[in-house]
């Protein structure tokens, strides 16, 4: 023992390291548990380097020792030891690697600190400081290491912080490195195996080398996202999904892809079978984890993907990320954005492919997640057009229950048609009976039927598809093609006069009475005077108590071809009282058809009066 101590030599740390250690040792903060992630990634890096040496045929010390990471916790002694069978370090490497700042992570951290002027201790935890993070939890750190080079021998590096470190030779060390942490008084929890197991699972679960804690294997799940697709079994994918998504059944869809440009990415994304938001339990939290070389950087970061993709589960791994990503730094946010953009674009493309190749599965996806896609159209300008391609609707050209894409609609458009028409309605039946649909039916123009109350808002946001404006049937200016034969309609002059009479009779109830150019089977319809607001929008705004945004009165359109209207024109000079009742009822009927009659009692009274007249007075 004595002899060995005599052989030890004291070394000073480089000035920057002293500075760094000062900050690390004297600051208390919440994120210090990341020291374990740092030491385990160093151990994994060491194993990786050794594996490379093996494949390049170098002569190795203890060539048969399998690559592994072993962690030993000793609560009684208050120590934690992290051992690997990696490449180890020579004396010179120890001095170089653990005594000077040559490596990127720490240098970047110090530069950041210098930029921020005052040492924001809070930053440390987010940044991570590689090996030196050991001093966040340990008052004394001992490194025992033996290089892979056959002719080298073992060395021990000991430090209690900023004062410096001691180096001494040690005989008979196995290949690799052992780091012994003598935990600080307030960091003794890190000698508890439960705590260490939790941290391994959280940060280092997918390290490709076995991690054992007190002899027990902890990381049993492999980072399958980094393996070749062809080598992965379905069951492995499913198990992995259940693990990351905490789901009991397999996923609905899976996207596994790698990219090299503009960023190096390995991603494995899943769509769960079930959308938990339908249960009304609130918003789903984002579920894609961010990794760098199989080490967790951030669990489910919110900034990674647009909000409408919060239902996705899985992992994205990019070696272009700094291992010590800081949430504050602008650079990292930009990088995260770039990463998110690539992922979103790729996922949208995947959905388009699925719609093509796996229509049944896409249908199921759409039924479960259509609200998210629609939310995306409204909130995510950047991906709006791509999302538009994924929307599906029933239309007048297909059977009930069948759905088409906007692209299908466009393909069927006759050359003279410039707009895409849609009609919000409660059901197929209601859509086909709607006064607003009549002109489209008469002119054989396809109309999308929107049964989801939000869809109109969504299409308003989308504005156009493939250069063709999306127009509500209610607002469309399409008119009937051929004027009806004179005997089947009021003359232009008659119609105009009737409209004026109606306007006078209805008074405050309407903004204006017009002669309709588009009604076929209905006697009348109501429309917004500016044609800006449809009845669905009106209902939505009312439900949200936003009526101030609306013009209070509507226009009434009269169908000069309809027998009821033609009869009304005769009646007004014969029985003014009855004609007035009929005019009022026509208006209310039009309101009912538009879903805009709020208070029916006056209407019912009037209807009863009309029925009495119809049955004849006693
Ligand atoms: P980084 O990992 O970013 O290089 P660290 O501070 O974590 O920075 O580690 C510094 C250096 O010390 C590493 O680059 C490596 O050369 C060396 N090192 C640390 N831990 C080990 C280990 N377990 N085995 C071999 N070398 C190690
Ligand atoms: Mg490191």
């Amino acid at each position: 023992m004595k002899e060995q101590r005599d052989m030890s030599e004291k070394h000073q740390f480089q000035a920057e390291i002293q500075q760094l250690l000062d900050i690390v040792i004297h600051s208390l903060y919440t994120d210090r548990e990341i020291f374990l992630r740092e030491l385990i990634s160093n151990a994994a890096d060491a194993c990786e380097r050794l594996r490379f040496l093996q494949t390049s045929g170098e002569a190795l010390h203890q060539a048969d020792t399998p690559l592994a990471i072993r962690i030993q916790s000793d609560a009684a002694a208050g120590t934690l030891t992290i051992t690997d069978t990696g490449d180890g370090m020579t004396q010179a490497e120890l001095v170089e690697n653990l005594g000077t700042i040559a490596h990127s992570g720490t240098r970047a951290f110090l530069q950041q600190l210098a930029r921020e002027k005052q040492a924001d201790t809070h930053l440390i935890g987010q940044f991570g400081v590689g090996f030196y993070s050991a001093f966040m939890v340990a008052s004394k750190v001992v490194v025992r290491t033996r290089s892979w080079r056959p002719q080298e021998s073992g060395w021990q590096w000991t430090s209690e912080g900023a004062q410096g470190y001691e180096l001494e030779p040690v005989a008979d060390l196995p290949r690799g490195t052992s780091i012994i942490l003598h935990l600080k008084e307030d960091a003794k929890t890190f000698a508890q195996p439960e705590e260490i197991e939790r941290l391994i699972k959280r940060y280092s679960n997918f390290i490709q080398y076995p991690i054992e804690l007190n002899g027990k294997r902890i990381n049993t799940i492999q980072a399958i996202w980094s393996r070749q697709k062809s080598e992965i079994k379905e069951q492995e994918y499913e198990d992995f999904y259940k693990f990351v998504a905490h789901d009991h059944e397999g996923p609905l869809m899976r996207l596994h892809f790698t990219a090299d440009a503009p960023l190096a990415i390995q991603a494995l994304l899943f769509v769960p079978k079930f959308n938990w938001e339908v249960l009304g339990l609130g918003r789903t939290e984002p579920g894609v984890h961010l990794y760098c070389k199989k080490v967790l950087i951030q669990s489910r970061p919110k900034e990674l993907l647009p909000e409408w993709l919060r239902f996705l589960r899985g992992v994205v791994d990019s070696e272009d990320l700094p291992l010590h990503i800081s949430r504050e730094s602008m650079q990292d946010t930009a990088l995260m954005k770039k990463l998110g953009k690539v992922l979103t674009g790729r996922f949208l493309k995947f959905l388009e492919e699925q719609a093509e190749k796996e229509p049944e599965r896409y249908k199921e996806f759409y039924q479960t997640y259509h609200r998210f896609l629609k939310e995306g159209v409204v909130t995510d300008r950047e991906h709006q057009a791509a999302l538009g391609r994924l929307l599906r609707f029933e239309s007048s050209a297909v059977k009930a229950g069948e759905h088409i894409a906007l692209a299908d609609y466009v393909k069927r458009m006759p050359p003279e048609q410039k707009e895409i028409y849609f009609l919000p309605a409660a059901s197929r039946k209601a859509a086909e009976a709607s006064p607003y649909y009549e002109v489209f039916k008469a002119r054989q123009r396809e109309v999308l039927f929107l049964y989801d109350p939000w869809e109109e808002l969504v299409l308003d946001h989308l504005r156009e598809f493939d250069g063709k404006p999306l127009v509500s049937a209610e607002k469309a200016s399409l008119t009937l093609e051929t004027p009806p034969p004179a005997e089947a309609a009021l003359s232009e002059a008659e119609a105009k006069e009737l409209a004026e009479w109606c306007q006078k009779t209805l008074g405050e109830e309407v903004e204006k009475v017009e002669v309709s150019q588009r009604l076929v089977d209905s006697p009348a319809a109501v429309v917004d005077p500016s044609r800006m607001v449809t009845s669905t929008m009106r209902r939505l705004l009312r439900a949200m108590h936003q009526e101030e945004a609306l013009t209070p009165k509507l226009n009434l359109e009269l169908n000069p071809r309809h027998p009821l209207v033609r009869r009304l024109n005769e009646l007004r000079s014969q029985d003014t009282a009855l004609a007035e009742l009929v005019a009022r009822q026509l208006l209310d009927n039009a309101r009912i058809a538009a879903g805009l009659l709020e208070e029916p009692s006056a209407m019912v009274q009037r209807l009863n009066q009309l029925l009495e007249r119809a049955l004849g007075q006693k």
Side-chain angles (χ1 to χ4, degrees):
M1 258 328 252
K2 190 161 186 300
E3 231 176 40
Q4 270 209 351
R5 192 159 297 151
D6 286 343
M7 286 172 71
S8 76
E9 22 170 314
K10 287 204 189 321
H11 293 253
Q12 293 254 302
F13 282 121
Q14 212 186 22
E16 291 97 319
I17 296 201
Q18 280 182 34
Q19 211 183 339
L20 175 69
L21 282 173
D22 260 345
I23 302 165
V24 167
I25 293 164
H26 297 118
S27 345
L28 283 174
Y29 42 83
T30 46
D31 279 344
R32 59 182 183 169
E33 64 183 33
I34 56 115
F35 81 92
L36 191 65
R37 172 187 86 176
E38 299 297 326
L39 297 183
I40 291 177
S41 8
N42 282 351
D45 289 348
C47 290
E48 193 57 31
R49 286 191 298 267
L50 196 95
R51 201 172 61 93
F52 181 75
L53 290 167
Q54 278 171 342
T55 55
S56 53
E58 293 277 349
L60 303 174
H61 180 62
Q62 295 175 335
D64 298 334
T65 308
L67 292 167
I69 301 165
R70 295 195 184 84
I71 301 175
Q72 206 71 40
S73 70
D74 186 339
T79 60
L80 185 69
T81 306
I82 296 114
T83 305
D84 65 69
T85 54
D87 64 348
M89 284 175 273
T90 63
Q91 183 191 16
E93 284 166 343
L94 265 177
V95 172
E96 171 76 19
N97 298 339
L98 304 186
T100 60
I101 296 188
H103 37 281
S104 52
T106 322
R107 218 179 22 228
F109 173 69
L110 279 175
Q111 278 161 3
Q112 167 102 358
L113 278 189
R115 263 203 307 279
E116 317 250 314
K117 292 280 191 310
Q118 95 249 47
D120 183 354
T121 54
H122 185 73
L123 265 178
I124 300 171
Q126 291 176 358
F127 234 103
V129 283
F131 170 77
Y132 303 99
S133 62
F135 287 97
M136 301 192 299
V137 296
S139 51
K140 179 174 163 186
V141 177
V142 180
V143 179
R144 295 157 71 86
T145 185
R146 175 21 167 130
S147 165
W148 61 274
R149 296 171 199 275
Q151 67 283 14
E152 287 290 335
S153 60
W155 284 87
Q156 175 166 303
W157 179 104
T158 310
S159 172
E160 295 184 18
Q163 306 88 322
Y165 59 93
E166 285 176 28
L167 271 185
E168 57 195 288
V170 187
D172 297 333
L173 285 183
R175 187 195 71 219
T177 303
S178 221
I179 297 179
I180 304 135
L181 307 177
H182 295 265
L183 296 166
K184 291 182 188 175
E185 211 42 58
D186 62 7
K188 289 280 200 286
T189 50
F190 297 119
Q192 301 292 338
E194 311 79 60
E195 178 68 357
I196 294 302
E197 180 165 348
R198 181 183 75 82
L199 294 180
I200 296 171
K201 287 222 161 105
R202 176 166 166 80
Y203 293 106
S204 312
N205 210 13
F206 300 114
I207 296 283
Q208 66 273 42
Y209 300 100
I211 304 176
E212 285 174 11
L213 174 62
N214 302 332
K216 179 179 129 196
R217 174 80 186 260
I218 304 292
N219 61 334
T220 49
I221 315 245
Q222 283 186 304
I224 66 171
W225 64 83
S226 63
R227 286 165 50 198
Q228 287 291 325
K229 272 197 223 178
S230 55
E231 290 166 10
I232 305 170
K233 294 194 193 75
E234 277 304 311
Q235 191 59 43
E236 287 180 282
Y237 273 127
E238 184 163 328
D239 290 346
F240 180 77
Y241 164 74
K242 287 177 179 169
F243 172 80
V244 282
H246 304 291
D247 204 344
H248 62 278
E249 55 177 354
L252 178 64
M253 287 175 167
R254 172 185 79 223
L255 169 61
H256 186 182
F257 79 96
T258 57
D260 298 320
L263 286 169
I265 295 176
Q266 295 175 316
L268 181 50
L269 304 174
F270 298 97
V271 177
K273 279 207 179 97
F274 192 74
N275 163 22
W276 293 92
E277 282 190 18
V278 295
L279 293 182
L281 297 173
R283 279 169 93 77
T284 301
E285 290 293 319
V288 177
H289 302 274
L290 188 58
Y291 280 77
C292 169
K293 296 187 201 150
K294 298 169 195 157
V295 178
L296 180 70
I297 302 301
Q298 254 190 58
S299 172
R300 304 154 66 115
K302 286 200 166 57
E303 309 79 23
L304 180 63
L305 292 168
E307 262 193 85
W308 60 269
L309 276 175
R310 61 188 175 276
F311 61 86
L312 279 183
R313 297 286 171 266
V315 165
V316 48
D317 194 320
S318 174
E319 48 183 276
D320 289 334
L321 290 171
L323 185 54
H324 319 304
I325 192 163
S326 119
R327 266 155 275 172
E328 247 99 311
S329 146
M330 287 299 291
Q331 252 176 318
D332 296 342
T333 320
L335 199 62
M336 191 98 98
K337 279 237 168 69
K338 200 162 148 197
L339 192 60
K341 200 174 148 174
V342 176
L343 286 175
T344 307
R346 186 63 187 81
F347 183 68
L348 283 166
K349 190 171 141 223
F350 165 76
L351 287 178
E352 261 187 86
E353 287 163 5
Q354 287 281 301
E356 185 90 351
K357 287 189 231 142
E358 303 267 357
E360 281 309 309
R361 173 150 347 131
Y362 183 75
K363 204 167 160 185
E364 193 180 342
F365 166 79
Y366 193 79
Q367 272 164 5
T368 314
Y369 294 102
H370 63 100
R371 281 285 173 96
F372 292 84
L373 302 182
K374 292 169 188 169
E375 181 187 321
V377 171
V378 175
T379 59
D380 186 353
R381 265 288 168 80
E382 198 174 340
H383 301 107
Q384 202 173 51
L387 281 161
R389 292 196 283 277
L390 295 169
L391 298 178
R392 295 293 182 271
F393 303 95
E394 210 173 286
S395 96
S396 56
V398 298
K399 287 207 258 335
E402 275 178 31
H403 293 87
I404 60 155
L406 291 170
D408 301 323
Y409 183 109
V410 169
K411 253 182 256 159
R412 280 195 286 264
M413 277 166 74
E416 69 277 14
Q417 186 182 341
K418 303 287 177 248
E419 298 171 327
I420 299 171
Y421 301 112
F422 62 84
L423 176 64
S427 64
R428 176 86 184 202
K429 223 168 147 185
E432 285 175 344
S434 164
Y436 309 113
Y437 174 57
E438 290 169 2
V439 66
F440 297 93
K441 190 177 166 192
R443 296 200 53 183
Q444 296 182 318
R445 289 285 159 84
E446 184 170 2
V447 178
L448 302 169
F449 294 150
L450 317 186
Y451 305 137
D452 178 353
W454 293 105
E455 283 175 336
E456 181 177 358
L457 184 78
V458 172
L459 292 190
D460 272 350
H461 269 85
L462 192 58
R463 291 184 313 277
E464 56 157 55
F465 179 82
D466 201 9
K468 324 259 182 315
L470 290 152
V471 178
S472 161
E474 209 174 316
K475 299 191 210 167
S477 52
L478 191 70
T479 55
L480 291 170
E481 221 162 4
T482 42
E487 69 278 8
L490 295 178
S491 73
E492 220 171 289
E494 285 171 323
K496 208 170 150 241
E497 246 176 75
L498 176 65
E500 276 162 17
W501 175 83
C502 274
Q503 174 129 24
K504 235 179 27 235
T505 307
L506 297 172
E508 287 300 291
E509 292 288 308
V510 290
E511 180 69 30
K512 195 164 172 242
V513 180
E514 300 173 310
V515 181
S516 175
Q517 304 299 323
R518 58 175 173 164
L519 291 175
V520 179
D521 299 319
S522 300
V526 285
V527 280
D528 183 78
S530 64
R531 290 244 170 150
M532 296 302 282
V533 188
T534 62
S535 42
T536 343
M537 283 309 279
R538 203 166 263 275
R539 279 199 302 276
L540 276 177
L541 288 167
R542 270 189 195 164
M544 300 186 312
H545 301 286
Q546 303 274 308
E547 289 121 311
E548 313 87 64
L550 299 170
T551 44
K553 287 187 262 173
L554 293 167
N555 282 6
L556 179 71
E557 278 189 21
L558 284 179
N559 178 359
R561 296 161 291 276
H562 198 278
L564 241 175
V565 175
R566 282 153 57 199
R567 181 75 190 96
L568 176 64
N569 192 42
E570 290 163 20
L571 192 67
R572 68 190 170 99
S573 50
Q574 298 159 356
D575 184 344
T576 322
L578 180 60
E580 188 178 329
L581 279 183
V582 171
R584 289 191 182 281
Q585 190 61 36
L586 278 179
L587 172 62
D588 273 353
N589 287 353
R591 284 174 172 154
I592 292 171
L596 291 173
L597 187 77
E598 291 211 315
E599 222 308 289
S601 63
M603 187 280 285
V604 172
Q605 268 179 23
R606 186 188 319 113
L607 196 55
N608 286 336
Q609 271 176 287
L610 283 168
L611 286 175
E612 269 173 41
R613 294 290 298 260
L615 296 178
Q617 256 142 14
K618 266 214 274 190

